Amino acid sequence: MSADAATLAAAVARGERGARSVVAEALERIEAGDDAVRAFYRVDRDAALARAEALDARVAAGEDVGPLAGVPVALKGNMCLEGSEAHCGSRVLAGYRPPYTATFVRRLLDAGAVVVGMTNMDEFAMGSSGENSAYGVARNPWDPERTPGGSSAGSAAAVAAGFVPLALGSDTGGSVRQPASFCGISGFKPTYGRVSRYGLIAYGSSLDQVAPLARSVRDLELLFEAISGRDPLDSTCIDDDPVRPLEGEGLAGKRVGVPREYLSDDLDAGVRARVDAALETLGQLGAEVVPVSLPHTEHAVPAYYVVATAEASSNLARYDGVRYGLRAPGDGSLQGMIAATRDAGFGDEVKRRILLGTYVLSSGYYDAWYGRAQRVRGLIARDFARAFEEVDFVAGPTSPTPAFRLGELIEDPVAMYLSDVLTVPVSLAGLPAVSVPCGTTDVALPVGLQLVGRRLADAELLAAARTYQEATEHHLARPQGVPA
Ligand code: GLN
């Protein structure tokens, strides 16, 4: 079984457990189970064991090896660890080995964590199911016919399957919160700018955040403290210290607002029932639960899919066959080479978004589309700001449905986009949000409760989520075949 990260790290630091045996066990679980789950596209067995042995030697020499001593961690395929293939789920980056290590990965390593491998994802993090990958589609450990969510599909599945206690994903419009909710685990998107994006391969730069996944909020806090804080290598990174967990109780006397727009009739009945019960529990724990309104919610999906695709079209212009990864010769001319490379290298969804993003930025259409979406973004941020004058947190479902079936939405991009309706508003507003398990539906699929906090109130938000979690047992439920 896989203990939580805090327990494992403490045992390794005290010399009660060797990092090597902790890591070897994680590798065994991956070997035994990942043919079915397909969370990883790459497992760095030898490197992980060598690193664990080095940590053990340092512990034996009396050194403090850090708060994540010996904890196995999985990284999403858009994260740079020097020499470890980061292809972002794309053919265009096949074989790309970053020549440098991301700031947040460096911090993980400095905290004593051991990276065991890289996980499957939607190509360039565009998707909500993991199916937009050129390499393999991860499965939901609760039901292999269903998606683990996306785009951080493999990272969420790896934690839910018990392979590793911690994983990192990235959340641009919900890619950590929604998979956490589909997989019955906890996932946290920090305030935009809390974690350096240096070494996170860009999708939508004004939205992208590195985001932790774990079984418990306590582990999210541990991981978040390790990776957060100022970084001169990312100008959008907030100039502040790493975020320390707030000790103690986080709900008594707090006001929790439930947006009426988040409880629409489209909500799956099982999701509605579990979330209603969770809101009642928040009340029993001393919070005052009140209705609020976020009136521009219905415009969030269209605004997000304009802003995110615009930024993506500009970020992805760098994949031209010259500097990175794939090169297809085409007709031999420079333009021909670039066109052939992009045609062969990108999948359908990425092409769709580059076209859309280029269109909304083009002269003549810029103001009608991109400019308008930016103004809607402002209105959505203002909705939240007004709500937070009345309440400390906003609560509701993370996703309108539990995990859907693989293949169910992939032919209908708009339906797939609409499934992000409850996560993208928070992303546009740059706020912190966490998804925690709040039970399962009648057909045994997990449901996530999303809690949203004020900008920079990451620690308060996590303390509230932890208080809910420690008073309930939903996070202890496991898919069949995964030991408690
Ligand atoms: N599903 C959303 C999208 O496809 C969110 C993805 C993400 O957060 N990376 O853009």
Short mmCIF file of all heavy atoms in Angstrom, two decimals, residues 8 12 16-29 49 52-53 56 70 72:
data_model
loop_
_atom_site.label_atom_id
_atom_site.label_comp_id
_atom_site.label_asym_id
_atom_site.label_seq_id
_atom_site.Cartn_x
_atom_site.Cartn_y
_atom_site.Cartn_z
N LEU A 8 5.54 9.02 4.99
CA LEU A 8 6.71 8.40 4.36
C LEU A 8 7.96 9.26 4.57
O LEU A 8 9.02 8.75 4.95
CB LEU A 8 6.48 8.25 2.85
CG LEU A 8 5.62 7.10 2.38
CD1 LEU A 8 5.44 7.20 0.87
CD2 LEU A 8 6.24 5.76 2.77
N VAL A 12 11.41 8.21 6.49
CA VAL A 12 12.71 8.19 5.80
C VAL A 12 13.70 9.11 6.51
O VAL A 12 14.86 8.74 6.75
CB VAL A 12 12.55 8.58 4.31
CG1 VAL A 12 13.92 8.82 3.65
CG2 VAL A 12 11.77 7.51 3.55
N GLU A 16 13.88 5.28 9.69
CA GLU A 16 13.07 4.08 9.96
C GLU A 16 12.74 3.32 8.68
O GLU A 16 12.47 2.13 8.71
CB GLU A 16 11.75 4.48 10.64
CG GLU A 16 11.94 5.02 12.03
CD GLU A 16 10.71 5.77 12.52
OE1 GLU A 16 9.62 5.65 11.90
OE2 GLU A 16 10.85 6.50 13.50
N ARG A 17 12.70 4.07 7.57
CA ARG A 17 12.48 3.43 6.28
C ARG A 17 13.54 3.93 5.33
O ARG A 17 13.89 5.10 5.35
CB ARG A 17 11.11 3.83 5.71
CG ARG A 17 9.98 3.23 6.46
CD ARG A 17 8.93 2.60 5.56
NE ARG A 17 9.40 1.90 4.38
CZ ARG A 17 8.60 1.62 3.35
NH1 ARG A 17 7.35 2.01 3.35
NH2 ARG A 17 9.06 0.94 2.32
N GLY A 18 14.03 3.06 4.49
CA GLY A 18 14.99 3.51 3.49
C GLY A 18 14.25 4.12 2.30
O GLY A 18 13.20 3.61 1.90
N ALA A 19 14.78 5.21 1.76
CA ALA A 19 14.19 5.78 0.55
C ALA A 19 14.19 4.74 -0.57
O ALA A 19 13.26 4.67 -1.36
CB ALA A 19 14.97 7.03 0.13
N ARG A 20 15.24 3.91 -0.58
CA ARG A 20 15.32 2.93 -1.66
C ARG A 20 14.14 1.97 -1.62
O ARG A 20 13.54 1.66 -2.64
CB ARG A 20 16.63 2.14 -1.57
CG ARG A 20 16.86 1.32 -2.82
CD ARG A 20 18.03 0.40 -2.76
NE ARG A 20 18.38 -0.05 -4.11
CZ ARG A 20 17.69 -0.94 -4.80
NH1 ARG A 20 16.59 -1.48 -4.30
NH2 ARG A 20 18.08 -1.28 -6.03
N SER A 21 13.80 1.49 -0.43
CA SER A 21 12.69 0.54 -0.38
C SER A 21 11.37 1.23 -0.69
O SER A 21 10.49 0.67 -1.34
CB SER A 21 12.66 -0.20 0.97
OG SER A 21 11.88 0.49 1.92
N VAL A 22 11.21 2.49 -0.27
CA VAL A 22 9.98 3.23 -0.59
C VAL A 22 9.84 3.36 -2.10
O VAL A 22 8.77 3.10 -2.68
CB VAL A 22 10.01 4.63 0.07
CG1 VAL A 22 8.86 5.50 -0.44
CG2 VAL A 22 9.96 4.52 1.59
N VAL A 23 10.94 3.74 -2.74
CA VAL A 23 10.90 3.96 -4.19
C VAL A 23 10.74 2.63 -4.93
O VAL A 23 9.98 2.52 -5.90
CB VAL A 23 12.15 4.74 -4.65
CG1 VAL A 23 12.26 4.77 -6.16
CG2 VAL A 23 12.12 6.16 -4.07
N ALA A 24 11.45 1.59 -4.45
CA ALA A 24 11.34 0.28 -5.11
C ALA A 24 9.90 -0.22 -5.05
O ALA A 24 9.39 -0.80 -6.02
CB ALA A 24 12.30 -0.72 -4.45
N GLU A 25 9.23 0.01 -3.93
CA GLU A 25 7.83 -0.43 -3.83
C GLU A 25 6.94 0.32 -4.81
O GLU A 25 6.04 -0.26 -5.42
CB GLU A 25 7.31 -0.23 -2.40
CG GLU A 25 7.81 -1.30 -1.45
CD GLU A 25 7.36 -1.08 -0.02
OE1 GLU A 25 6.42 -0.27 0.21
OE2 GLU A 25 7.93 -1.71 0.87
N ALA A 26 7.18 1.62 -4.94
CA ALA A 26 6.37 2.40 -5.90
C ALA A 26 6.61 1.85 -7.31
O ALA A 26 5.66 1.67 -8.09
CB ALA A 26 6.74 3.88 -5.82
N LEU A 27 7.86 1.58 -7.63
CA LEU A 27 8.17 1.06 -8.97
C LEU A 27 7.50 -0.30 -9.20
O LEU A 27 7.01 -0.59 -10.29
CB LEU A 27 9.69 0.95 -9.15
CG LEU A 27 10.42 2.30 -9.24
CD1 LEU A 27 11.94 2.11 -9.07
CD2 LEU A 27 10.11 3.02 -10.55
N GLU A 28 7.46 -1.12 -8.14
CA GLU A 28 6.78 -2.42 -8.28
C GLU A 28 5.29 -2.25 -8.54
O GLU A 28 4.70 -2.95 -9.35
CB GLU A 28 6.93 -3.23 -6.98
CG GLU A 28 8.12 -4.16 -6.99
CD GLU A 28 8.40 -4.69 -5.59
OE1 GLU A 28 7.43 -4.99 -4.85
OE2 GLU A 28 9.59 -4.76 -5.23
N ARG A 29 4.68 -1.31 -7.82
CA ARG A 29 3.24 -1.07 -8.03
C ARG A 29 2.99 -0.60 -9.46
O ARG A 29 2.04 -1.01 -10.10
CB ARG A 29 2.71 -0.03 -7.03
CG ARG A 29 2.64 -0.52 -5.60
CD ARG A 29 1.86 0.46 -4.72
NE ARG A 29 2.50 1.77 -4.65
CZ ARG A 29 3.35 2.15 -3.71
NH1 ARG A 29 3.69 1.33 -2.74
NH2 ARG A 29 3.87 3.37 -3.74
N LEU A 49 16.04 4.83 -8.48
CA LEU A 49 16.67 3.99 -7.44
C LEU A 49 18.03 4.57 -7.03
O LEU A 49 18.38 4.59 -5.85
CB LEU A 49 16.82 2.55 -7.94
CG LEU A 49 15.49 1.77 -8.03
CD1 LEU A 49 15.71 0.43 -8.72
CD2 LEU A 49 14.87 1.57 -6.65
N ALA A 52 17.44 7.46 -4.80
CA ALA A 52 16.97 7.03 -3.47
C ALA A 52 18.15 6.53 -2.64
O ALA A 52 18.26 6.83 -1.44
CB ALA A 52 15.91 5.94 -3.62
N GLU A 53 19.04 5.78 -3.29
CA GLU A 53 20.22 5.28 -2.55
C GLU A 53 21.08 6.44 -2.07
O GLU A 53 21.60 6.43 -0.94
CB GLU A 53 21.04 4.35 -3.44
CG GLU A 53 20.43 2.96 -3.50
CD GLU A 53 21.00 2.10 -4.63
OE1 GLU A 53 22.11 2.38 -5.11
OE2 GLU A 53 20.30 1.14 -5.02
N ASP A 56 19.51 7.86 0.97
CA ASP A 56 19.75 6.99 2.14
C ASP A 56 21.15 7.21 2.71
O ASP A 56 21.33 7.24 3.93
CB ASP A 56 19.55 5.52 1.77
CG ASP A 56 18.06 5.16 1.67
OD1 ASP A 56 17.23 5.87 2.28
OD2 ASP A 56 17.74 4.18 0.97
N GLY A 70 12.59 11.08 0.22
CA GLY A 70 12.32 9.75 -0.34
C GLY A 70 10.92 9.56 -0.91
O GLY A 70 10.55 8.44 -1.26
N PRO A 72 8.17 9.26 -3.56
CA PRO A 72 8.08 9.11 -5.02
C PRO A 72 7.05 10.08 -5.59
O PRO A 72 5.94 10.20 -5.07
CB PRO A 72 7.60 7.67 -5.22
CG PRO A 72 7.66 7.01 -3.87
CD PRO A 72 7.62 8.09 -2.85
#
